Coordinates of all heavy atoms in Angstrom, one line a residue:
M21 N -80.2 -37.5 37.7 CA -79.8 -36.1 38.2 C -79.3 -35.3 37.0 O -78.5 -35.7 36.2 CB -78.7 -36.3 39.2 CG -78.3 -35.0 39.9 SD -77.4 -35.4 41.4 CE -76.1 -34.3 41.2
A22 N -79.8 -34.1 36.9 CA -79.5 -33.2 35.8 C -78.1 -32.6 36.0 O -77.7 -32.3 37.2 CB -80.5 -32.1 35.7
V23 N -77.4 -32.4 35.0 CA -76.1 -31.8 35.0 C -76.3 -30.3 35.0 O -77.0 -29.8 34.1 CB -75.2 -32.3 33.8 CG1 -73.8 -31.6 33.9 CG2 -75.0 -33.8 33.9
T24 N -75.6 -29.6 35.9 CA -75.7 -28.1 35.9 C -74.7 -27.6 34.8 O -73.5 -28.0 34.8 CB -75.3 -27.6 37.2 OG1 -76.1 -28.1 38.2 CG2 -75.4 -26.1 37.3
K25 N -75.2 -26.7 34.0 CA -74.3 -26.1 33.0 C -74.3 -24.6 33.2 O -75.3 -24.0 33.6 CB -74.9 -26.4 31.6 CG -74.9 -27.9 31.2 CD -75.4 -28.0 29.8 CE -75.5 -29.5 29.5 NZ -76.0 -29.8 28.1
Y26 N -73.1 -24.1 33.0 CA -73.0 -22.6 33.2 C -71.9 -22.2 32.2 O -71.0 -22.9 31.8 CB -72.6 -22.2 34.6 CG -71.4 -23.0 35.2 CD1 -70.1 -22.5 35.0 CD2 -71.7 -24.2 35.8 CE1 -69.1 -23.3 35.6 CE2 -70.6 -24.9 36.4 CZ -69.3 -24.4 36.2 OH -68.3 -25.1 36.7
N27 N -72.0 -20.9 31.8 CA -71.0 -20.4 30.8 C -70.1 -19.4 31.5 O -70.4 -18.3 31.8 CB -71.8 -19.6 29.7 CG -71.0 -19.2 28.6 OD1 -69.8 -19.0 28.7 ND2 -71.6 -19.0 27.4
T28 N -68.9 -19.9 31.8 CA -67.9 -19.1 32.6 C -67.5 -17.9 31.8 O -67.2 -16.8 32.3 CB -66.7 -19.9 33.0 OG1 -66.1 -20.5 31.8 CG2 -67.1 -21.0 34.0
E29 N -67.4 -18.1 30.5 CA -67.0 -16.9 29.6 C -68.0 -15.8 29.7 O -67.7 -14.6 29.8 CB -66.8 -17.4 28.2 CG -65.6 -18.3 28.0 CD -65.5 -18.9 26.7 OE1 -66.3 -18.6 25.8 OE2 -64.6 -19.7 26.5
A30 N -69.3 -16.2 29.7 CA -70.4 -15.2 29.7 C -70.4 -14.5 31.1 O -70.6 -13.2 31.2 CB -71.7 -15.8 29.5
M31 N -70.1 -15.2 32.2 CA -70.1 -14.6 33.5 C -68.9 -13.6 33.6 O -69.0 -12.6 34.2 CB -70.0 -15.7 34.6 CG -71.3 -16.4 34.8 SD -71.3 -17.4 36.4 CE -70.1 -18.7 35.9
E32 N -67.8 -14.0 33.0 CA -66.6 -13.2 33.1 C -66.8 -11.9 32.3 O -66.5 -10.8 32.7 CB -65.4 -13.9 32.6 CG -64.1 -13.1 32.6 CD -63.7 -12.5 33.9 OE1 -64.1 -13.0 35.0 OE2 -63.0 -11.4 33.9
Q33 N -67.5 -12.1 31.1 CA -67.8 -10.9 30.3 C -68.7 -10.0 31.0 O -68.6 -8.7 31.0 CB -68.4 -11.4 29.0 CG -68.8 -10.2 28.0 CD -67.7 -9.4 27.5 OE1 -66.6 -9.9 27.2 NE2 -67.8 -8.1 27.4
C34 N -69.7 -10.5 31.7 CA -70.7 -9.7 32.5 C -69.9 -9.0 33.6 O -70.1 -7.8 33.8 CB -71.8 -10.6 33.0 SG -73.1 -9.7 33.8
R35 N -69.1 -9.7 34.3 CA -68.3 -9.1 35.4 C -67.5 -8.0 34.9 O -67.4 -6.9 35.5 CB -67.5 -10.2 36.1 CG -66.9 -9.7 37.4 CD -65.8 -10.6 37.9 NE -64.7 -10.6 37.0 CZ -63.8 -9.6 36.9 NH1 -63.9 -8.5 37.5 NH2 -62.8 -9.7 36.0
T36 N -66.8 -8.2 33.8 CA -65.9 -7.2 33.3 C -66.7 -6.0 32.8 O -66.3 -4.8 33.1 CB -65.1 -7.8 32.1 OG1 -64.4 -8.9 32.5 CG2 -64.1 -6.8 31.5
T37 N -67.8 -6.2 32.2 CA -68.6 -5.1 31.7 C -69.2 -4.3 32.9 O -69.1 -3.0 32.9 CB -69.8 -5.6 30.9 OG1 -69.3 -6.3 29.8 CG2 -70.7 -4.5 30.4
V38 N -69.6 -4.9 33.9 CA -70.1 -4.3 35.1 C -69.0 -3.5 35.8 O -69.3 -2.3 36.2 CB -70.8 -5.3 36.1 CG1 -71.0 -4.7 37.5 CG2 -72.0 -5.9 35.6
S39 N -67.8 -4.0 35.9 CA -66.7 -3.3 36.4 C -66.4 -2.0 35.7 O -66.2 -1.0 36.3 CB -65.5 -4.2 36.5 OG -64.4 -3.5 37.0
S40 N -66.4 -2.1 34.4 CA -66.1 -1.0 33.5 C -67.2 0.1 33.7 O -66.9 1.3 33.8 CB -66.1 -1.4 32.0 OG -66.0 -0.3 31.2
Q41 N -68.5 -0.3 33.7 CA -69.6 0.6 33.9 C -69.5 1.3 35.3 O -69.9 2.5 35.4 CB -70.9 -0.1 33.7 CG -71.1 -0.6 32.3 CD -71.1 0.6 31.3 OE1 -71.8 1.6 31.5 NE2 -70.4 0.4 30.2
A42 N -69.2 0.6 36.3 CA -69.1 1.1 37.6 C -68.1 2.3 37.6 O -68.4 3.4 38.2 CB -68.7 0.1 38.7
G43 N -67.0 2.1 37.0 CA -66.0 3.2 36.9 C -66.5 4.4 36.2 O -66.2 5.5 36.6
Q44 N -67.2 4.1 35.1 CA -67.8 5.2 34.3 C -68.8 6.0 35.1 O -68.8 7.3 35.1 CB -68.3 4.7 33.0 CG -67.3 4.2 32.1 CD -67.8 3.6 30.8 OE1 -69.0 3.8 30.5 NE2 -67.0 2.9 30.1
F45 N -69.6 5.3 35.9 CA -70.6 6.0 36.7 C -69.9 6.9 37.8 O -70.3 8.0 38.1 CB -71.6 5.1 37.3 CG -72.8 4.7 36.4 CD1 -72.8 3.6 35.7 CD2 -73.9 5.6 36.3 CE1 -73.8 3.3 34.8 CE2 -74.9 5.3 35.5 CZ -74.9 4.1 34.7
G46 N -68.9 6.3 38.4 CA -68.1 7.0 39.4 C -67.5 8.3 38.8 O -67.5 9.3 39.4
A47 N -67.0 8.2 37.6 CA -66.3 9.3 36.9 C -67.3 10.4 36.6 O -67.0 11.6 36.8 CB -65.6 8.9 35.7
I48 N -68.5 10.0 36.2 CA -69.6 11.0 36.0 C -69.9 11.8 37.3 O -70.0 13.0 37.3 CB -70.8 10.4 35.4 CG1 -70.5 9.9 34.0 CG2 -72.0 11.4 35.3 CD1 -71.7 9.0 33.4
G49 N -70.1 11.0 38.4 CA -70.4 11.6 39.7 C -69.3 12.5 40.1 O -69.5 13.6 40.7
D50 N -68.0 12.2 39.8 CA -66.9 13.0 40.2 C -67.0 14.4 39.5 O -66.5 15.4 40.0 CB -65.6 12.3 39.9 CG -65.3 11.2 40.8 OD1 -66.0 11.0 41.9 OD2 -64.4 10.3 40.5
G51 N -67.5 14.3 38.3 CA -67.6 15.5 37.4 C -68.6 16.5 38.0 O -68.5 17.7 37.8
F52 N -69.6 16.0 38.7 CA -70.6 16.9 39.3 C -70.1 17.6 40.5 O -70.5 18.7 40.8 CB -71.8 16.0 39.8 CG -72.8 15.8 38.7 CD1 -72.7 14.8 37.8 CD2 -74.0 16.6 38.7 CE1 -73.7 14.6 36.9 CE2 -74.9 16.4 37.7 CZ -74.8 15.4 36.8
S53 N -69.2 17.0 41.2 CA -68.8 17.5 42.5 C -68.3 18.9 42.5 O -67.4 19.3 41.7 CB -67.7 16.6 43.1 OG -67.4 16.8 44.4
N54 N -68.8 19.7 43.4 CA -68.4 21.1 43.7 C -68.6 22.0 42.5 O -67.9 23.0 42.4 CB -66.9 21.1 44.1 CG -66.6 20.4 45.4 OD1 -67.5 20.5 46.3 ND2 -65.6 19.7 45.5
Q55 N -69.6 21.8 41.8 CA -70.0 22.7 40.7 C -71.2 23.5 41.1 O -72.2 23.6 40.4 CB -70.4 21.8 39.4 CG -69.3 21.0 38.9 CD -68.0 21.7 38.5 OE1 -68.2 22.8 37.8 NE2 -66.9 21.3 38.8
Y56 N -71.0 24.2 42.2 CA -72.1 24.9 42.8 C -72.3 26.2 42.1 O -71.4 26.9 41.6 CB -71.9 25.2 44.3 CG -71.6 24.0 45.1 CD1 -70.5 23.8 45.8 CD2 -72.6 22.9 45.1 CE1 -70.2 22.6 46.5 CE2 -72.3 21.8 45.8 CZ -71.2 21.6 46.5 OH -71.0 20.5 47.2
G57 N -73.6 26.6 41.9 CA -74.0 27.8 41.3 C -73.7 29.0 42.1 O -74.1 29.1 43.3
N58 N -73.0 30.0 41.6 CA -72.8 31.3 42.3 C -73.9 32.2 42.0 O -74.2 32.5 40.8 CB -71.5 31.8 41.8 CG -71.1 33.1 42.6 OD1 -71.9 33.8 43.1 ND2 -69.8 33.4 42.6
P59 N -74.6 32.8 42.9 CA -75.8 33.7 42.7 C -75.4 34.9 41.8 O -76.2 35.4 41.0 CB -76.2 34.2 44.0 CG -75.6 33.2 45.0 CD -74.4 32.6 44.4
D60 N -74.1 35.3 41.8 CA -73.7 36.4 41.0 C -73.8 36.2 39.5 O -74.0 37.1 38.7 CB -72.3 36.8 41.3 CG -72.1 37.3 42.7 OD1 -73.2 37.7 43.3 OD2 -71.0 37.3 43.3
I61 N -73.8 34.9 39.0 CA -73.8 34.6 37.6 C -75.2 34.9 37.0 O -75.4 35.0 35.8 CB -73.4 33.2 37.3 CG1 -74.4 32.2 37.8 CG2 -72.0 32.9 37.7 CD1 -74.2 30.7 37.3
F62 N -76.3 35.1 37.9 CA -77.6 35.3 37.5 C -77.9 36.8 37.5 O -79.1 37.2 37.3 CB -78.6 34.5 38.3 CG -78.4 33.1 38.2 CD1 -77.8 32.3 39.2 CD2 -78.7 32.4 37.0 CE1 -77.6 31.0 39.2 CE2 -78.5 31.0 36.9 CZ -78.0 30.3 38.0
G63 N -76.9 37.6 37.7 CA -77.1 39.1 37.7 C -77.8 39.5 39.0 O -77.7 39.0 40.1
K64 N -78.6 40.6 38.8 CA -79.3 41.2 39.9 C -80.7 40.7 40.1 O -81.5 41.4 40.8 CB -79.4 42.7 39.6 CG -78.0 43.4 39.5 CD -77.2 43.4 40.8 CE -75.9 44.2 40.5 NZ -75.0 43.9 41.5
L65 N -81.0 39.5 39.6 CA -82.3 39.0 39.7 C -82.6 38.7 41.2 O -81.8 38.3 42.0 CB -82.5 37.7 39.0 CG -82.3 37.7 37.4 CD1 -82.2 36.3 36.9 CD2 -83.4 38.5 36.8
S66 N -83.9 39.0 41.5 CA -84.3 38.7 42.9 C -84.3 37.2 43.3 O -84.1 36.9 44.4 CB -85.7 39.3 43.2 OG -86.6 38.7 42.4
A67 N -84.4 36.4 42.3 CA -84.4 35.0 42.5 C -83.0 34.3 42.3 O -82.9 33.1 42.3 CB -85.4 34.3 41.6
S68 N -81.9 35.1 42.2 CA -80.6 34.6 42.0 C -80.2 33.6 43.0 O -79.7 32.5 42.7 CB -79.6 35.7 42.0 OG -79.8 36.5 40.9
G69 N -80.5 33.9 44.3 CA -80.1 33.0 45.4 C -80.9 31.7 45.3 O -80.3 30.6 45.5
T70 N -82.2 31.8 44.9 CA -83.0 30.6 44.8 C -82.5 29.7 43.6 O -82.4 28.5 43.8 CB -84.5 31.0 44.5 OG1 -84.9 31.8 45.6 CG2 -85.4 29.8 44.5
I71 N -82.2 30.3 42.5 CA -81.7 29.6 41.4 C -80.4 28.9 41.7 O -80.2 27.8 41.4 CB -81.6 30.5 40.1 CG1 -83.0 31.0 39.7 CG2 -80.9 29.7 39.0 CD1 -83.0 32.0 38.6
S72 N -79.5 29.7 42.3 CA -78.2 29.1 42.7 C -78.4 27.9 43.7 O -77.7 26.9 43.5 CB -77.4 30.2 43.4 OG -76.2 29.7 43.9
G73 N -79.3 28.0 44.6 CA -79.6 27.0 45.6 C -80.1 25.7 44.8 O -79.7 24.6 45.2
A74 N -80.9 25.9 43.8 CA -81.5 24.8 43.0 C -80.3 24.1 42.3 O -80.3 22.9 42.2 CB -82.6 25.3 42.1
V75 N -79.4 24.9 41.7 CA -78.3 24.3 41.0 C -77.4 23.5 41.9 O -77.0 22.4 41.6 CB -77.5 25.4 40.3 CG1 -76.2 24.9 39.7 CG2 -78.3 26.1 39.2
T76 N -77.2 24.1 43.1 CA -76.4 23.4 44.1 C -77.1 22.1 44.5 O -76.4 21.0 44.6 CB -76.2 24.3 45.3 OG1 -75.4 25.4 44.9 CG2 -75.4 23.5 46.4
A77 N -78.4 22.1 44.7 CA -79.1 20.9 45.1 C -79.1 19.8 44.0 O -78.9 18.6 44.3 CB -80.5 21.2 45.5
M78 N -79.2 20.3 42.8 CA -79.1 19.4 41.7 C -77.7 18.7 41.6 O -77.6 17.5 41.3 CB -79.4 20.1 40.3 CG -79.5 19.1 39.1 SD -79.6 19.9 37.6 CE -78.0 20.6 37.4
D79 N -76.7 19.5 41.8 CA -75.3 19.0 41.8 C -75.1 18.0 42.8 O -74.5 16.9 42.6 CB -74.3 20.2 42.0 CG -72.9 19.7 42.1 OD1 -72.3 19.3 41.1 OD2 -72.3 19.7 43.2
Q80 N -75.6 18.2 44.0 CA -75.4 17.3 45.1 C -76.2 16.0 44.9 O -75.7 14.9 45.1 CB -75.9 17.9 46.4 CG -74.9 19.0 46.9 CD -75.5 19.8 48.1 OE1 -76.7 19.9 48.3 NE2 -74.5 20.5 48.8
A81 N -77.4 16.1 44.3 CA -78.2 15.0 44.0 C -77.6 14.1 42.9 O -77.5 12.9 43.0 CB -79.6 15.4 43.6
G82 N -77.0 14.8 41.9 CA -76.4 14.1 40.8 C -75.2 13.3 41.4 O -74.9 12.1 41.0
T83 N -74.4 13.9 42.2 CA -73.2 13.3 42.8 C -73.6 12.0 43.6 O -73.0 11.0 43.4 CB -72.4 14.3 43.7 OG1 -72.0 15.3 42.9 CG2 -71.3 13.6 44.4
Q84 N -74.6 12.2 44.4 CA -75.1 11.1 45.3 C -75.6 9.9 44.4 O -75.4 8.8 44.7 CB -76.2 11.6 46.2 CG -75.6 12.5 47.3 CD -76.7 13.1 48.2 OE1 -77.9 13.0 47.9 NE2 -76.3 13.8 49.2
E85 N -76.4 10.2 43.4 CA -77.0 9.2 42.6 C -76.0 8.4 41.8 O -76.0 7.2 41.7 CB -78.0 9.8 41.6 CG -79.3 10.3 42.3 CD -80.1 9.2 43.0 OE1 -80.2 8.1 42.5 OE2 -80.5 9.5 44.1
F86 N -75.0 9.1 41.2 CA -73.9 8.4 40.5 C -73.0 7.6 41.4 O -72.6 6.5 41.1 CB -73.1 9.3 39.6 CG -73.8 9.8 38.4 CD1 -74.4 11.0 38.2 CD2 -74.0 8.9 37.4 CE1 -75.1 11.4 37.1 CE2 -74.7 9.2 36.2 CZ -75.2 10.5 36.0
E87 N -72.8 8.1 42.6 CA -72.0 7.3 43.6 C -72.8 6.1 44.0 O -72.2 5.0 44.1 CB -71.7 8.2 44.9 CG -70.7 9.2 44.7 CD -70.4 10.1 45.9 OE1 -71.2 9.9 46.9 OE2 -69.6 10.9 45.9
S88 N -74.1 6.2 44.2 CA -74.9 5.0 44.5 C -74.9 4.0 43.4 O -74.8 2.8 43.7 CB -76.4 5.5 44.8 OG -76.5 6.3 45.9
A89 N -75.0 4.5 42.2 CA -75.0 3.5 41.0 C -73.6 2.8 41.0 O -73.6 1.6 40.7 CB -75.2 4.3 39.7
E90 N -72.6 3.5 41.2 CA -71.2 2.9 41.2 C -71.2 1.8 42.3 O -70.7 0.7 42.1 CB -70.1 3.9 41.4 CG -68.7 3.3 41.4 CD -67.6 4.3 41.7 OE1 -67.9 5.4 42.2 OE2 -66.5 3.9 41.4
K91 N -71.7 2.1 43.5 CA -71.6 1.1 44.6 C -72.5 -0.1 44.3 O -72.0 -1.2 44.6 CB -72.2 1.8 45.9 CG -71.2 2.8 46.5 CD -71.8 3.4 47.7 CE -70.9 4.5 48.3 NZ -71.4 5.2 49.4
V92 N -73.6 0.1 43.7 CA -74.4 -1.1 43.3 C -73.7 -2.0 42.3 O -73.7 -3.2 42.4 CB -75.8 -0.6 42.8 CG1 -76.6 -1.8 42.1 CG2 -76.7 -0.1 43.9
L93 N -73.2 -1.3 41.3 CA -72.4 -2.1 40.3 C -71.2 -2.8 40.8 O -70.9 -3.9 40.4 CB -72.0 -1.2 39.1 CG -73.2 -0.7 38.3 CD1 -72.8 0.4 37.2 CD2 -73.9 -1.9 37.5
R94 N -70.5 -2.2 41.8 CA -69.4 -2.8 42.4 C -69.8 -4.1 43.2 O -69.2 -5.1 43.3 CB -68.6 -1.9 43.4 CG -67.9 -0.7 42.7 CD -66.7 -1.2 42.0 NE -66.1 0.0 41.3 CZ -65.4 -0.1 40.2 NH1 -65.2 -1.2 39.6 NH2 -64.9 1.0 39.7
K95 N -71.0 -4.0 43.8 CA -71.6 -5.1 44.5 C -71.9 -6.3 43.6 O -71.7 -7.4 43.9 CB -72.8 -4.7 45.3 CG -72.5 -3.9 46.6 CD -73.8 -3.6 47.3 CE -73.5 -2.7 48.5 NZ -74.7 -2.3 49.2
V96 N -72.5 -5.9 42.4 CA -72.8 -6.9 41.4 C -71.5 -7.6 40.9 O -71.4 -8.8 40.8 CB -73.5 -6.3 40.2 CG1 -73.7 -7.2 39.0 CG2 -74.9 -5.8 40.6
E97 N -70.5 -6.8 40.7 CA -69.2 -7.3 40.3 C -68.7 -8.3 41.3 O -68.2 -9.4 41.0 CB -68.2 -6.2 40.1 CG -66.8 -6.7 39.7 CD -65.8 -5.6 39.7 OE1 -66.0 -4.4 40.1 OE2 -64.6 -5.9 39.2
G98 N -68.7 -7.9 42.6 CA -68.2 -8.8 43.7 C -69.0 -10.1 43.7 O -68.5 -11.1 44.0
A99 N -70.4 -10.0 43.6 CA -71.2 -11.2 43.6 C -70.9 -12.1 42.4 O -70.8 -13.3 42.6 CB -72.7 -10.8 43.5
L100 N -70.7 -11.6 41.3 CA -70.3 -12.4 40.1 C -68.9 -13.1 40.3 O -68.7 -14.2 40.0 CB -70.3 -11.6 38.8 CG -71.7 -11.2 38.3 CD1 -71.5 -10.2 37.2 CD2 -72.4 -12.4 37.8
D101 N -68.0 -12.3 40.9 CA -66.7 -12.9 41.2 C -66.8 -14.0 42.2 O -66.2 -15.0 42.1 CB -65.8 -11.8 41.7 CG -64.3 -12.3 41.9 OD1 -63.8 -12.8 40.9 OD2 -63.8 -12.1 43.0
A102 N -67.6 -13.8 43.2 CA -67.8 -14.8 44.2 C -68.4 -16.1 43.6 O -68.0 -17.2 44.0 CB -68.7 -14.3 45.4
I103 N -69.4 -15.9 42.7 CA -70.0 -17.1 42.1 C -69.0 -17.8 41.2 O -68.9 -19.1 41.3 CB -71.2 -16.6 41.1 CG1 -72.3 -16.1 42.0 CG2 -71.6 -17.7 40.2 CD1 -73.4 -15.4 41.2
Q104 N -68.2 -17.1 40.5 CA -67.1 -17.7 39.7 C -66.1 -18.5 40.6 O -65.7 -19.6 40.2 CB -66.4 -16.7 38.8 CG -67.2 -16.2 37.7 CD -66.4 -15.1 36.9 OE1 -66.2 -14.0 37.4 NE2 -66.0 -15.4 35.7
T105 N -65.7 -17.9 41.6 CA -64.8 -18.5 42.6 C -65.4 -19.8 43.1 O -64.7 -20.8 43.2 CB -64.3 -17.5 43.7 OG1 -63.8 -16.4 43.1 CG2 -63.4 -18.2 44.6
N106 N -66.6 -19.7 43.6 CA -67.3 -20.9 44.2 C -67.4 -22.0 43.2 O -67.2 -23.2 43.5 CB -68.6 -20.5 44.8 CG -68.5 -19.7 46.0 OD1 -67.5 -19.7 46.7 ND2 -69.5 -19.0 46.4
L107 N -67.8 -21.7 41.9 CA -68.0 -22.7 40.9 C -66.6 -23.3 40.6 O -66.6 -24.6 40.5 CB -68.6 -22.1 39.6 CG -70.0 -21.7 39.7 CD1 -70.4 -20.9 38.4 CD2 -70.9 -22.9 39.9
A108 N -65.6 -22.6 40.5 CA -64.3 -23.1 40.3 C -63.8 -24.1 41.4 O -63.3 -25.1 41.2 CB -63.2 -22.0 40.1
S109 N -64.1 -23.7 42.6 CA -63.8 -24.5 43.8 C -64.6 -25.8 43.8 O -64.0 -26.9 44.0 CB -64.1 -23.8 45.1 OG -63.2 -22.7 45.2
V110 N -65.8 -25.8 43.5 CA -66.7 -27.0 43.4 C -66.2 -27.9 42.3 O -66.1 -29.1 42.5 CB -68.2 -26.6 43.2 CG1 -69.0 -27.8 42.9 CG2 -68.7 -25.9 44.5
E111 N -65.9 -27.3 41.1 CA -65.4 -28.1 40.0 C -64.0 -28.8 40.4 O -63.8 -29.9 40.0 CB -65.2 -27.2 38.8 CG -66.5 -26.9 38.1 CD -67.2 -28.1 37.5 OE1 -66.6 -28.9 36.8 OE2 -68.4 -28.3 37.8
E112 N -63.2 -28.1 41.0 CA -61.9 -28.6 41.4 C -62.1 -29.8 42.4 O -61.5 -30.8 42.3 CB -61.0 -27.6 42.0 CG -59.6 -28.0 42.3 CD -58.8 -28.4 41.1 OE1 -59.1 -28.0 40.0 OE2 -57.8 -29.2 41.3
A113 N -63.0 -29.5 43.4 CA -63.3 -30.6 44.4 C -63.9 -31.8 43.7 O -63.5 -33.0 44.0 CB -64.2 -30.0 45.5
N114 N -64.8 -31.6 42.8 CA -65.4 -32.7 42.1 C -64.4 -33.5 41.2 O -64.3 -34.7 41.2 CB -66.5 -32.2 41.2 CG -67.7 -31.8 41.9 OD1 -67.9 -32.2 43.1 ND2 -68.6 -31.0 41.3
K115 N -63.5 -32.7 40.6 CA -62.4 -33.4 39.8 C -61.5 -34.2 40.6 O -61.2 -35.4 40.3 CB -61.6 -32.3 39.0 CG -60.5 -32.9 38.2 CD -59.7 -31.7 37.5 CE -58.8 -31.2 38.5 NZ -57.8 -30.2 37.9
N116 N -61.1 -33.7 41.8 CA -60.3 -34.4 42.7 C -60.9 -35.6 43.3 O -60.3 -36.6 43.6 CB -59.7 -33.5 43.8 CG -58.8 -32.4 43.3 OD1 -58.2 -32.6 42.2 ND2 -58.7 -31.3 44.0
S117 N -62.2 -35.6 43.5 CA -62.9 -36.7 44.1 C -63.1 -37.9 43.1 O -63.4 -39.0 43.5 CB -64.3 -36.3 44.6 OG -65.2 -36.0 43.6
M118 N -62.9 -37.6 41.8 CA -63.1 -38.6 40.8 C -61.8 -39.4 40.5 O -61.8 -40.3 39.7 CB -63.6 -38.0 39.5 CG -65.0 -37.3 39.7 SD -66.2 -38.5 40.2 CE -67.1 -38.7 38.8
R119 N -60.7 -39.0 41.1 CA -59.4 -39.7 40.9 C -59.5 -41.1 41.4 O -60.2 -41.3 42.4 CB -58.3 -38.9 41.5 CG -58.0 -37.6 40.8 CD -56.8 -36.9 41.3 NE -56.6 -35.7 40.6 CZ -56.0 -34.6 41.0 NH1 -55.5 -34.6 42.2 NH2 -55.9 -33.6 40.3
A120 N -58.8 -42.0 40.8 CA -58.8 -43.4 41.2 C -58.2 -43.5 42.6 O -57.2 -42.8 42.9 CB -57.9 -44.2 40.2
V121 N -58.7 -44.3 43.4 CA -58.2 -44.5 44.8 C -57.2 -45.6 44.8 O -57.2 -46.6 44.3 CB -59.4 -44.8 45.7 CG1 -58.9 -45.0 47.1 CG2 -60.5 -43.8 45.6

């Protein structure tokens, strides 16, 4: 039977990096929020409202995309944490089962 090998330090580094990146994506999304274009900044152009609407749509799309990225990275972080916890539990149970009776 093959022995399963895993690198707990690498998993922890990955989990920590994912956690950090999730926060950064969330912060970028927060920066987009409520940055709607005011039609007046485009002067008296007939397309001022259209341009403003496009800026608003882009702002909303950016906010949603960065929020989605943060959520996915938080799920990855949670999954890595669950794997680490399960591996530690299995190792502890295996260690305890090997004690002399």
Side-chain angles (χ1 to χ4, degrees):
M21 184 163 129
V23 175
T24 302
K25 295 181 182 181
Y26 51 90
N27 187 335
T28 57
E29 292 170 4
M31 284 192 294
E32 178 59 22
Q33 178 65 38
C34 184
R35 189 196 64 74
T36 302
T37 300
V38 167
S39 177
S40 171
Q41 293 299 310
Q44 291 178 12
F45 276 98
I48 292 170
D50 291 344
F52 272 84
S53 191
N54 298 319
Q55 301 298 317
Y56 304 122
N58 183 336
D60 294 338
I61 65 172
F62 300 106
K64 303 288 183 198
L65 298 173
S66 60
S68 293
T70 303
I71 294 171
S72 174
V75 170
T76 298
M78 184 187 75
D79 175 71
Q80 291 170 339
T83 299
Q84 290 171 352
E85 291 300 317
F86 283 109
E87 285 177 0
S88 295
E90 180 181 18
K91 287 177 184 175
V92 168
L93 290 172
R94 293 283 181 214
K95 287 180 182 178
V96 170
E97 177 189 9
L100 286 169
D101 186 53
I103 290 168
Q104 288 178 289
T105 300
N106 288 339
L107 288 173
S109 296
V110 168
E111 285 295 309
E112 185 64 24
N114 289 341
K115 181 181 79 171
N116 291 338
S117 70
M118 299 301 253
R119 291 188 178 151
V121 182

